[in-house]
Amino acid sequence: MPFSSEARRDHHPGVRSAYEHMARRNPDEPEFQQAVLEVLDDLSPALTRHPEYAEQRILERLCEPERQLMFRVPWRDDQGQVHINRGFRVEFNSALGPYKGGLRFHPSVDLGVIKFLGFEQIFKNALTGMNIGGGKGGSDFDPKGRSDAEIERFCQSFMTELHRHLGEHTDVPAGDIGVGAREIGYLFGQYRRLANRWEAGVITGKGLEWGGSRVRTEATGYGSVLFTQRMLERVGKALDGQRVVVSGSGNVAIYSVEKAQHLGATVVACSDSAGYVVDDKGLDLDLLKQIKEVERERISVYAERRVGARYVEGGSVWDVPCDVALPSATQNELDADAARVLVRNGVIAVAEGANMPTTPEAVQVLREAKVLFGPGKAANAGGVATSVLEMRQNARRTSWSFQHAESELAETMSDIHDRCEEAAERYGAPGDYVLGANVAGFERVASAMLAQGLI
Ligand code: NDP
Ligand code: 2IT
């Protein structure tokens, strides 16, 4: 990826050389290059204000993970066949706390994908104001169509290698695409067995009976909708009465639908990788949960069971007219063409429930159309923030009520919104949440790195 062909401003030489250095060293990792570019593109004014960041080569250090693990994950399927997958954990930056970030099981996973996610996680975690560093992991294992027993064997094999690198003060994984409550259970079980320690704080997203936190399941979706609500409030609007489209139908999507409905919106569409459903009366949340969480079925089944709903195979969910769009599936799922359709249909706000779902060209289209835009590292930070609430409860051997955990989440999302807003104003770009999130996250990590010396 060339360095910002349509640069929004003249770049500080330190930004340019750090980007070129990173791109040379990681030539086959387009998602990682994209994630770095999206952050560095906003950092020139911060480097001008703080010459010590360039002198100490903070950007070059940030772009190089502290540690990258790749390992073999052998497992046997129900027919006795042997499979070999590749496992990853990228421990990117621990200046602010132990490495923290999810595990993704999806066939598209490779080192570059895990590095893009780990890099984003550094700034997202910094924005929460909490003491967590950035990391990410996963495997190219495809859980689709696998039995519970196969998932269990895979998770046990994966953790057999990973466990030696984890610890509540070292590295604390959680879920992401393809890793939910079931997988976290098998992973924690194998960790506990190998470590001979009941160390709740070593992984988050646990079941409520064994150290999990209320609201962690809901947190990412709830948080992204709360962030959207704060953006709308700033321009004198609210979610009440708005037409919302969500992409995906996994953990983040389902709880975005739930919170948007709580706040009075009508959610008219959601999707999976094969197609999307439209339900003009508003999605039936109980039916959606039954199909996706209980039966683990495809989203097309929703239209078979719900009168008045229709399924569109393939195509783009962004063709469905809406006021608010919440991309909550995967990276680069909302491109410039889709953004133009959204703008033509009158969209007023877009918030990223997923990580990097909007391409840079699409962000540009939305920016030019003055659409409110919440970048993932701010809008979807409610998940990781609630993971920290889980770790806090584990450390104190206590367990909070749903109301208490939810009010902590709401306060955190509001603080993140305000941090982005404040940084954007300080750097002369009021309302630019992308710049605000990048700068505010960066300043916190950079000053910690500077204070801790050359490591
Ligand atoms: P899930 O596995 O629960 O759901 C993923 C959803 O996205 C599914 O509907 C899936 O469809 C769809 N999807 C996945 N890959 C693709 C693809 N290549 N093309 C089209 N659709 C795809 O994952 P989550 O809901 O947990 O994660 C969704 C996003 O949110 C990810 O970007 C993740 O990184 C991000 N995120 C998650 C957090 C969490 O706490 N879980 C926290 C912060 C961000 P299908 O079933 O057809 O594959
Ligand atoms: O992308 C993310 O922030 C997550 N998948 C959640 C990470 C976490 O540690 O809760």
Side-chain angles (χ1 to χ4, degrees), residues 104 106 117 124 136 144 175-179 216 220 248-253 271-274 292 298 328-331 353-355 380 383:
R104 175 177 292 192
H106 192 274
L117 290 161
K124 182 197 304 193
K136 199 85 185 189
K144 273 201 195 87
D176 194 81
I177 291 178
V179 178
R216 178 62 190 87
T220 310
S249 49
N251 171 265
V252 178
S271 64
D272 63 17
S273 58
K292 297 304 300 183
R298 309 301 299 157
S328 307
T330 194
Q331 61 269 15
N355 286 308
N380 72 39

Side-chain angles (χ1 to χ4, degrees), residues 26-287:
N26 304 281
D28 301 320
E29 298 176 357
E31 293 90 355
F32 178 50
Q33 293 191 7
Q34 181 184 338
V36 172
L37 182 59
E38 285 188 34
V39 173
L40 262 52
D41 215 17
D42 281 329
L43 297 186
S44 288
L47 256 69
T48 305
R49 273 189 205 188
H50 298 278
E52 66 278 19
Y53 291 164
E55 277 156 31
Q56 295 300 322
R57 303 196 68 187
I58 292 288
L59 295 185
E60 285 87 342
R61 282 154 65 186
L62 263 170
C63 292
E64 187 69 22
E66 290 175 9
R67 191 175 297 110
Q68 310 182 53
L69 308 163
M70 283 173 69
F71 49 94
R72 179 171 67 208
V73 190
W75 58 283
R76 209 181 282 277
D77 69 20
D78 289 345
Q79 286 70 46
Q81 288 276 339
V82 170
H83 298 259
I84 312 296
N85 283 99
R86 191 169 279 177
F88 303 89
R89 186 73 182 166
V90 173
E91 299 182 333
F92 225 119
N93 193 297
S94 59
L96 292 175
Y99 308 109
K100 183 83 196 88
L103 297 172
R104 175 177 292 192
F105 292 169
H106 192 274
S108 63
V109 162
D110 61 19
L111 183 62
V113 167
I114 297 299
K115 279 167 71 178
F116 118 63
L117 290 161
F119 187 76
E120 286 274 300
Q121 200 83 42
I122 302 170
F123 305 96
K124 182 197 304 193
N125 293 2
L127 271 177
T128 65
M130 296 165 169
N131 281 114
I132 36 176
K136 199 85 185 189
S139 174
D140 56 2
F141 171 68
D142 186 357
K144 273 201 195 87
R146 291 292 171 195
S147 68
D148 276 359
E150 289 173 324
I151 301 283
E152 180 179 5
R153 286 196 292 277
F154 178 81
C155 287
Q156 288 178 343
S157 182
F158 182 85
M159 186 52 93
T160 299
E161 172 58 31
L162 188 64
H163 88 281
R164 66 188 92 248
H165 308 289
L166 305 184
E168 63 176 315
H169 303 298
T170 307
D171 187 351
V172 184
D176 194 81
I177 291 178
V179 178
R182 174 181 60 172
E183 291 73 20
I184 296 292
Y186 295 143
L187 291 164
F188 180 70
Q190 185 73 350
Y191 179 86
R192 175 170 68 71
R193 182 187 199 189
L194 292 167
N196 192 28
R197 262 200 313 274
W198 203 91
E199 187 185 347
V202 78
I203 196 163
T204 59
K206 298 181 293 295
L208 294 184
E209 294 298 328
W210 40 279
S213 173
R214 292 189 178 79
V215 187
R216 178 62 190 87
T217 303
E218 295 83 355
T220 310
Y222 276 25
S224 97
V225 172
L226 291 168
F227 191 92
T228 308
Q229 176 85 335
R230 289 284 284 130
M231 289 199 299
L232 289 168
E233 277 167 13
R234 196 177 158 275
V235 295
K237 296 189 169 132
L239 263 168
D240 190 22
Q242 309 285 2
R243 223 177 118 92
V244 175
V245 168
V246 174
S247 65
S249 49
N251 171 265
V252 178
I254 289 172
Y255 292 94
S256 298
V257 173
E258 182 162 296
K259 182 49 90 184
Q261 290 183 345
H262 287 167
L263 294 174
T266 305
V267 188
V268 293
C270 68
S271 64
D272 63 17
S273 58
Y276 63 92
V277 292
V278 188
D279 187 346
D280 283 313
K281 292 196 298 286
L283 291 172
D284 177 338
L285 186 62
D286 290 339
L287 178 60

Side-chain angles (χ1 to χ4, degrees), residues 286-304:
D286 290 339
L287 178 60
L288 183 63
K289 285 185 180 174
Q290 172 66 28
I291 290 167
K292 297 304 300 183
E293 293 186 333
V294 180
E295 300 174 24
R296 297 179 185 274
E297 267 291 357
R298 309 301 299 157
I299 198 63
S300 56
V301 172
Y302 179 92
E304 289 164 18

